[in-house]
Amino acid sequence: AVGICGRDEQPDPSGDEGKHRLRRCGDMENINEMKINKLPAKTWYWLRMNDTALNWNPDMAGCSVKIDGGKEADKQASDFDGIETGAGRDADVLFAQQAAGSVLVADETNKGQTVHVLINGTGANGSSGYVYVQADAGSDMTVIETFGENAEGGSLAFRTRFNIEKDAHIRLVQIFMQDENTTILNDVGSECAENGQFDVLQIFIGKGNLYNGVRTELIGKRASTNMDIGYLGQKKQVIDINLVVNHIGKKTNCSIQVDGTLKDAAQKIFRGSIDFKTGSSDSKGAETENVLLLGDDVVNKTIPLILCAEENVEGSHGATIGELDEDTLFYFASRGIDMETAEDMMTKGKMEVLYRKIQDEDTEKLVEKQLAEVMEYDRQEL
């Protein structure tokens, strides 16, 4: 199923204009074209929605990765090479050389710990980094990654991988707060063993472009994942999201909920794929996206996709896309609230529901402050 909504068609993020925006400073001869955020099954090829073509210079420095908490693991980054990610294998080149990062372990000694990771770009020529986590059996950890500003602009590629063993629980919170001159490629991958649980909360309140891929392999029996994603796209931002959940074990479960607002001439594509593999009987998967359109030139593309090679499963998907209805506007107007204020209230309300789920007071305050700044930034002329 494909939902496309936009009144004045804008260039696709994978087209020439999208590529041009990613060409920052640096040696143009080193620019490589990658195909990222690929759908597991090609469809609607003429709309250029199966993947995203991205020009990126792989000759980057390591980004700044500051970790508060956590415990170093007895593993190397290469031990996680077999874990597939949402952006895909084409993105491997960005993390092959100078990427900066750490490998952490969640075990009995730090059960219930929250680890804070602050990520910043380090230059106009681009930078990359990673954090990988080995979640031992029965462990429980929250990882909060905050993507801050890069004063010199440029591009930032960051990869997070998790190996989640039996009965382990990992919660990943990612907050994107980059400035208007920074483009982020965020790449996440996880594997869940029996009863393993991977929860994801992503909040995009940055001013620059975002390319976001998340892939989860539910390998063991009763493995599960829950994803909550919120975004605010404004001005000429590009937001490109690809979520892939592979149900492999029996009685696995996934839930995907995406809520966003698009304003001005923002462009967004959401690919959400739930794949029931052979052997995943008695598994369940559901995905929903709600999109509020507040600009005449916005472009929204929504692809909720369910693939099935197993009979005894339950899968559902849906999308709600539209403007504020007349009844809602009348309700606000009858209380002396103009349209712009009403739109701001609805936008803030959608995001507030999400950031209250962070369960970390300092991070919630940071997000609240950033959201106010971004909404004020949007009021400035394009």
Side-chain angles (χ1 to χ4, degrees):
V2 179
I4 305 171
C5 191
R7 280 153 287 186
D8 290 330
E9 187 69 13
Q10 297 291 311
D12 190 276
S14 62
D16 292 338
E17 182 174 326
K19 296 175 184 176
H20 177 74
R21 278 197 294 270
L22 288 166
R23 291 180 177 176
R24 309 291 185 184
C25 301
D27 185 357
M28 293 300 295
E29 294 182 359
N30 292 332
I31 296 293
N32 287 356
E33 182 180 86
M34 305 181 298
K35 291 292 184 67
I36 65 165
N37 286 355
K38 298 178 182 178
L39 281 173
K42 291 185 177 180
T43 182
W44 296 86
Y45 187 80
W46 65 280
L47 290 173
R48 295 184 295 178
M49 296 166 68
N50 290 313
D51 53 41
T52 294
L54 203 59
N55 284 338
W56 205 286
N57 186 347
D59 186 18
M60 300 185 294
C63 68
S64 172
V65 184
K66 296 181 180 179
I67 300 176
D68 181 9
K71 176 182 175 182
E72 291 291 331
D74 291 329
K75 285 182 173 288
Q76 304 296 320
S78 58
D79 294 329
F80 293 77
D81 286 349
I83 298 178
E84 301 289 343
T85 59
R89 286 296 174 184
D90 276 20
D92 285 356
V93 65
L94 303 180
F95 307 95
Q97 297 180 3
Q98 302 299 323
S102 295
V103 179
L104 306 177
V105 63
D107 57 22
E108 288 295 328
T109 67
N110 57 8
K111 193 169 184 178
Q113 184 180 36
T114 296
V115 177
H116 292 265
V117 183
L118 177 60
I119 303 151
N120 284 289
T122 56
N125 289 339
S127 54
S128 66
Y130 65 89
V131 166
Y132 299 160
V133 177
Q134 168 63 37
D136 289 349
S139 61
D140 185 0
M141 176 180 282
T142 296
V143 179
I144 300 179
E145 295 180 341
T146 302
F147 294 77
E149 295 185 351
N150 178 1
E152 298 184 58
S155 55
L156 169 62
F158 198 82
R159 176 172 276 176
T160 313
R161 280 171 163 159
F162 299 93
N163 181 33
I164 303 172
E165 296 189 356
K166 182 179 178 180
D167 298 320
H169 176 211
I170 288 291
R171 184 167 178 264
L172 173 65
V173 178
Q174 293 185 310
I175 311 297
F176 301 94
M177 301 170 50
Q178 77 272 29
D179 59 37
E180 61 269 28
N181 297 315
T182 301
T183 292
I184 290 179
L185 188 155
N186 179 59
D187 194 21
V188 178
S190 72
E191 292 183 354
C192 296
E194 183 179 348
N195 288 324
Q197 183 176 343
F198 181 48
D199 294 333
V200 179
L201 173 61
Q202 295 180 323
I203 300 177
F204 177 52
I205 45 175
K207 301 173 185 175
N209 297 336
L210 173 68
Y211 295 82
N212 178 41
V214 182
R215 176 167 171 164
T216 302
E217 309 285 332
L218 301 178
I219 298 172
K221 187 176 181 179
R222 291 186 297 273
S224 64
T225 185
N226 300 288
M227 301 185 188
D228 285 300
I229 298 176
Y231 59 84
L232 170 58
Q234 25 81 59
K235 293 187 180 292
K236 295 183 179 180
Q237 283 181 289
V238 173
I239 301 173
D240 191 304
I241 301 171
N242 183 48
L243 308 181
V244 179
V245 179
N246 288 319
H247 290 260
I248 300 170
K250 293 183 178 181
K251 297 184 178 181
T252 52
N253 186 75
C254 83
S255 174
I256 298 171
Q257 179 67 52
V258 182
D259 287 282
T261 301
L262 298 176
K263 306 179 75 173
D264 309 317
Q267 304 176 53
K268 186 235 72 184
I269 180 168
F270 166 69
R271 305 175 183 90
S273 302
I274 298 174
D275 194 348
F276 295 102
K277 304 289 188 180
T278 302
S280 63
S281 59
D282 298 315
S283 294
K284 298 179 181 180
E287 59 178 322
T288 304
E289 185 187 24
N290 300 309
V291 190
L292 179 60
L293 305 180
L294 298 179
D296 292 333
D297 298 321
V298 300
V299 174
N300 177 73
K301 298 180 181 180
T302 297
I303 314 173
L305 176 66
I306 292 182
L307 303 172
C308 189
E310 182 64 55
E311 291 186 3
N312 189 26
V313 296
E314 295 181 21
S316 64
H317 59 70
T320 302
I321 303 167
E323 305 171 331
L324 290 178
D325 59 78
E326 292 185 1
D327 289 342
T328 300
L329 291 175
F330 177 79
Y331 174 86
F332 282 110
S334 66
R335 285 154 178 78
I337 301 172
D338 60 39
M339 180 179 293
E340 181 177 310
T341 303
E343 291 178 348
D344 285 352
M345 292 174 64
M346 294 295 291
T347 299
K348 184 178 179 181
K350 289 167 69 71
M351 298 299 287
E352 186 173 356
V353 169
L354 282 175
Y355 73 70
R356 294 303 180 193
K357 295 181 179 181
I358 296 174
Q359 299 174 15
D360 182 85
E361 185 176 355
D362 290 341
T363 306
E364 288 181 11
K365 289 180 179 179
L366 182 67
V367 171
E368 186 174 22
K369 180 180 177 181
Q370 173 71 8
L371 179 59
E373 179 181 323
V374 168
M375 294 178 68
E376 181 63 31
Y377 166 77
D378 178 64
R379 295 186 184 96
Q380 301 172 14
E381 293 185 4
L382 290 170

